[in-house]
Amino acid sequence: MKIKEVVNLLNAKIVSGEYLLDTEAEFVFASDLMSDVLTIEKDNLMLITGLANLQTIRTSEMSDINKIIFVRKKKATDEMIQLAVENDIILIECDYSMFKTAGILYQSGLKPVY
Amino acid sequence: MHFEFNIEGGNFSKAGTASSQLKKILKQLNVDPKVIKRVVVALYEAEVNVVAHAYTGQIFIDIDTNKIEIKLVDEGPGIPNIELAMQQGYSTASPAVREMGFGAGMGLPNIKNNTDELHVASEVGKGTTVKMAIFLIS
């Protein structure tokens, strides 16, 4: 599924990496705990999280995660967007809950890590 | 090749800058992306530990054709029981650290999972030294 379809399905807003809208998403992991995210070995992963701070972007950089969806109306700061741009990470802001976001994407065919 | 970085205890906005630098260096050296991920995840976990628990720290990195060796030396409270600290789920992290998405007692076990060698030495009231190595040729 392309990122632009993800954005449409979630009625969301892309705040970084607009030029990557045609990138494909396949696997998704949802967590607010960065310690958990750092244990995932899968590459090119999409992360759903309600944790919006600089360490969310840093964790994604180290874990080769290039797509982040912030749920529960959480917003990325300018500093987070800057770091995401430096690392070619797509940032999406979504007003839905984590459960609803994950449910929509799972139903649409995106795969869990385990 | 030898590199050194400083870590500021408590400064979460800078946590991960050394790991980020190392990732760029390893990419330039054409190191296998799977190895890069293991190295930077292990260093990032260790860097976050220093920021979360210590007052100040230094990172020493040596890269040769066979392996990457990393040593983190911090000045801080130290670890009273290393065996306990290595157990998944054991944590002494502050609420501030947990708010950043860490402090679940998974750092040291995850460093162990991502490295080929890991040694932790600590003196209570002085600080902790973490040495790790990842082999480039299996």
Side-chain angles (χ1 to χ4, degrees):
Chain A
M1 184 190 296
K2 290 194 189 304
I3 294 299
K4 58 184 173 194
E5 293 173 67
V6 171
V7 172
N8 283 338
L9 278 169
L10 299 175
N11 197 18
K13 184 182 159 197
I14 187 157
V15 291
S16 163
E18 287 88 348
Y19 63 99
L20 296 165
L21 271 171
D22 282 321
T23 310
E24 289 285 334
E26 188 180 6
F27 287 94
V28 187
F29 187 68
S31 181
D32 285 350
L33 187 62
M34 294 303 109
S35 303
D36 265 339
V37 176
L38 284 166
T39 64
I40 305 297
E41 288 173 10
K42 182 96 38 205
D43 293 336
N44 296 322
L45 193 65
M46 176 181 268
L47 173 67
I48 301 174
T49 186
L51 188 81
N53 64 41
L54 211 50
Q55 293 314 313
T56 312
I57 316 293
R58 280 281 183 225
T59 297
S60 300
E61 179 191 354
M62 303 313 154
S63 299
D64 291 333
I65 290 169
N66 52 10
K67 310 159 191 84
I68 306 173
I69 302 172
F70 293 108
V71 292
R72 304 195 296 264
K73 301 182 184 176
K74 297 292 191 295
K75 305 291 178 207
T77 62
D78 290 345
E79 212 179 0
M80 288 162 66
I81 291 171
Q82 194 186 329
L83 192 58
V85 168
E86 281 171 25
N87 289 285
D88 293 318
I89 295 172
I90 300 166
L91 299 184
I92 296 165
E93 292 173 349
C94 171
D95 287 354
Y96 297 163
S97 69
M98 182 180 275
F99 180 72
K100 185 172 175 177
T101 303
I104 289 170
L105 296 183
Y106 184 81
Q107 205 171 25
S108 305
L110 291 183
K111 298 173 195 163
V113 177
Y114 55 82
Chain B
M1 297 170 92
H2 179 82
F3 302 94
E4 292 185 17
F5 300 95
N6 292 319
I7 315 174
E8 252 179 77
N11 189 345
F12 264 100
S13 67
K14 283 191 181 166
T17 47
S19 309
S20 182
Q21 289 294 314
L22 181 60
K23 187 173 184 179
K24 289 182 180 83
I25 292 164
L26 296 178
K27 270 187 178 175
Q28 281 173 356
L29 293 171
N30 281 321
V31 174
D32 177 355
K34 284 191 190 312
V35 173
I36 294 179
K37 186 169 171 179
R38 286 174 59 211
V39 172
V40 299
V41 164
L43 177 58
Y44 180 56
E45 292 271 24
E47 219 184 321
V48 167
N49 273 348
V50 174
V51 172
H53 297 284
Y55 317 127
T56 181
Q58 273 183 296
I59 305 172
F60 305 91
I61 300 168
D62 285 288
I63 305 169
D64 66 28
T65 49
N66 297 320
K67 64 180 172 179
I68 298 166
E69 287 180 300
I70 302 173
K71 183 166 79 168
L72 294 99
V73 182
D74 75 43
E75 288 172 29
I79 306 170
N81 187 336
I82 292 170
E83 205 180 320
L84 198 57
M86 292 298 297
Q87 280 180 22
Q88 194 158 332
Y90 178 80
S91 177
T92 58
S94 66
V97 172
R98 291 173 200 268
E99 274 172 24
M100 299 303 293
F102 297 96
M106 296 171 70
L108 281 171
N110 200 26
I111 293 171
K112 198 174 180 190
N113 282 342
N114 281 289
T115 53
D116 296 307
E117 287 176 3
L118 174 65
H119 299 285
V120 182
S122 191
E123 197 174 334
V124 173
K126 287 208 165 170
T128 301
T129 299
V130 174
K131 285 185 198 173
M132 58 181 99
I134 287 154
F135 298 115
L136 296 171
I137 300 160
S138 53

